[in-house]
């Protein structure tokens, strides 16, 4: 029996625990969880019927250990457990901006990085995967199986993680922020449209659009809606004109923050 551990039961750690159990990727008796505030881990453990313990015990018990703390807390967690993180174990870090090189230099375990998304909590998330030099083919199969149970795992080059995690793991927040502004503006056009109604309607429209995008390219879908000489093409032109600058600024801001976080954890890749 493979034993699994999750250190850090915040948004990502608790989502992974819940979904891996719910989808049968991990059996409840195989999973241990820990968190800095123990009550949080215990509450999750009670809810899922798994075991809660402290970081050291979870690290000791696990064959596969998910590290689900913030990048700034990760070094401390590895330092605390490093004696137990032997080459027989696989660590899987979900932390954006904490490199494989650093994971591998801080302990002797085999290492992988997996960057999921909140959409994985609906079984529909992209998970970006990078396997370390010591990871085996069995490790690759295992992470593909686990993250395949909650969406679409895709192996990428580590240097692509920054921009791709902006796209896929921050993506749900950015899409929501854009649509929130769209709905807000609709509610302010003087037609008496309630803001909450506008939000509900654009959310339903997003769900329908996502279903269409299973089969259609963005260009084809736009062409389906934008009747020649009609209304939509006027709005689409505005988006095409204004959004490149917004996204340039977005990537510029996130890139500066990635660098700051890497600097803070002593992890800058040149
Ligand atoms: N939230 C998201 O959508 C995504 C987050 N990530 C990554 O997941 C990681 C966690 O992010 P969130 O879950 O959003 O943060 P969070 O703040 O919700 O969860 C972090 C958890 O770690 C616990 N923690 C902190 N120090 C600890 C320690 N020394 N020992 C045990 N537990 C400790 C905290 O108490 C908290 O429960 C980050 O590294 C982030 O980069 C990756 C992809 C998406
Ligand atoms: O905002 C963050 O730092 C984390 C990583 C990607 C999504 N949430």
């Amino acid at each position: 029996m493979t034993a699994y551990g999750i250190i850090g039961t915040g948004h990502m750690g608790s989502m992974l625990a819940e979904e891996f159990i719910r989808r049968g990727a991990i059996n409840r008796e195989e999973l241990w969880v820990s968190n800095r505030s123990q009550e949080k881990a215990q509450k999750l453990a009670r809810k899922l019927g798994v075991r809660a313990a402290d970081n050291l015990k979870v690290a000791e018990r696990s064959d596969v250990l998910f590290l689900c703390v913030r990048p700034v807390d990760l070094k401390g967690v590895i330092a605390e457990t490093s004696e137990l993180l032997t080459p027989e174990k696989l660590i899987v870090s979900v932390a954006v901006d904490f490199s494989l090189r650093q994971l591998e230099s801080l302990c002797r375990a085999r290492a992988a990085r997996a960057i999921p998304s909140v959409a994985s909590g609906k079984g529909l998330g992209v998970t970006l995967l990078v396997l370390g030099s010591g990871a085996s083919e069995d490790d690759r199969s295992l992470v593909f199986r686990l993250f395949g149970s909650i969406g679409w795992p895709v192996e990428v080059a580590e240097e692509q993680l920054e921009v791709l995690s902006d796209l896929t793991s921050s993506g749900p927040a950015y899409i929501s922020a854009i649509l929130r502004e769209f709905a807000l503006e609709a509610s302010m056009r003087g037609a008496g449209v309630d803001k909450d109604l506008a939000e509900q309607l654009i959310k339903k429209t997003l769900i329908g659009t996502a279903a269409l995008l299973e089969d259609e390219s963005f260009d084809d879908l736009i062409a389906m809606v934008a009747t020649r000489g009609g209304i939509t093409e006027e709005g689409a032109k505005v988006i095409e004109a204004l959004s490149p600058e917004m996204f340039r600024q977005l990537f510029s801001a996130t890139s500066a923050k990635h660098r700051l976080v890497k600097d803070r954890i002593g992890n800058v890749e040149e």
Side-chain angles (χ1 to χ4, degrees):
M1 183 177 98
T2 304
Y4 297 89
I6 293 182
I7 295 185
T9 56
H11 292 105
M12 276 299 108
S14 60
M15 182 276 287
L16 290 178
E18 286 203 50
E19 292 307 309
F20 287 153
I21 298 281
R22 200 154 71 85
R23 295 172 195 278
I26 294 178
N27 295 320
R28 55 188 83 242
E29 61 276 10
E30 297 170 333
L31 183 60
W32 292 75
V33 296
S34 68
N35 196 70
R36 180 161 49 195
S37 52
Q38 283 285 312
E39 316 84 71
K40 199 163 163 182
Q42 281 159 1
K43 195 168 160 206
L44 182 70
R46 275 195 301 278
K47 180 176 171 196
L48 301 182
V50 303
R51 281 171 287 195
D54 60 25
N55 289 354
L56 285 170
K57 184 146 187 192
V58 170
E60 185 199 345
R61 290 296 175 119
S62 305
D63 302 304
V64 179
L65 180 64
F66 292 91
L67 300 170
C68 301
V69 299
R70 294 184 311 149
V72 285
D73 295 320
L74 188 48
K75 211 181 222 172
V77 168
I78 300 179
E80 180 190 356
T81 53
S82 66
E83 287 294 303
L84 301 162
L85 302 180
T86 57
E88 294 74 44
K89 296 182 192 276
L90 173 67
I91 55 170
V92 182
S93 162
V94 305
V96 171
D97 292 327
F98 203 98
S99 72
L100 270 176
R101 199 182 56 179
Q102 197 174 33
L103 290 170
E104 289 172 339
S105 73
L106 292 170
C107 70
R108 292 171 299 136
R110 307 180 321 271
R113 295 180 63 188
I115 313 297
S117 121
V118 285
S120 310
K122 293 284 182 190
L124 296 170
V126 169
T127 300
L128 305 170
L129 294 174
V130 186
L131 279 291
S133 53
S136 64
E137 273 311 307
D138 284 350
D139 293 334
R140 178 172 279 106
S141 306
L142 178 103
V143 289
F144 267 90
R145 179 180 69 76
L146 290 174
F147 289 99
S149 75
I150 55 172
W152 303 278
V154 52
E155 196 167 351
V156 300
E158 190 168 29
E159 58 271 22
Q160 298 174 335
L161 266 193
E162 210 181 276
V163 69
L164 287 179
S165 74
D166 283 359
L167 206 58
T168 63
S169 66
S170 303
Y174 298 150
I175 292 166
S176 299
I178 289 168
L179 294 185
R180 184 188 57 198
E181 295 308 313
F182 191 18
L184 183 62
E185 191 57 37
S187 73
M188 298 190 333
R189 300 306 297 170
V193 173
D194 179 69
K195 174 174 154 289
D196 292 342
L197 175 68
E199 282 200 2
Q200 286 308 318
L201 296 183
I202 197 63
K203 279 166 77 175
K204 295 285 184 215
T205 304
L206 174 65
I207 292 165
T209 306
L212 282 167
L213 286 170
E214 298 253 38
D215 306 315
E216 306 293 344
S217 69
F218 287 125
D219 284 345
D220 287 347
L221 198 147
I222 293 166
M224 280 162 64
V225 184
T227 309
R228 224 164 349 118
I231 309 301
T232 313
E233 61 183 24
E234 298 307 318
K237 277 187 223 157
V238 174
I239 290 178
E240 279 165 22
L242 298 184
S243 59
E245 180 55 24
M246 180 177 81
F247 286 114
R248 255 192 301 278
Q249 288 197 29
L250 182 151
F251 278 111
S252 164
T254 57
S255 163
K257 187 62 189 257
H258 283 295
R259 180 150 287 267
L260 190 74
V261 173
K262 285 174 178 168
D263 279 344
R264 273 174 72 191
I265 57 182
N267 185 23
V268 180
E269 309 289 335
E270 294 303 341

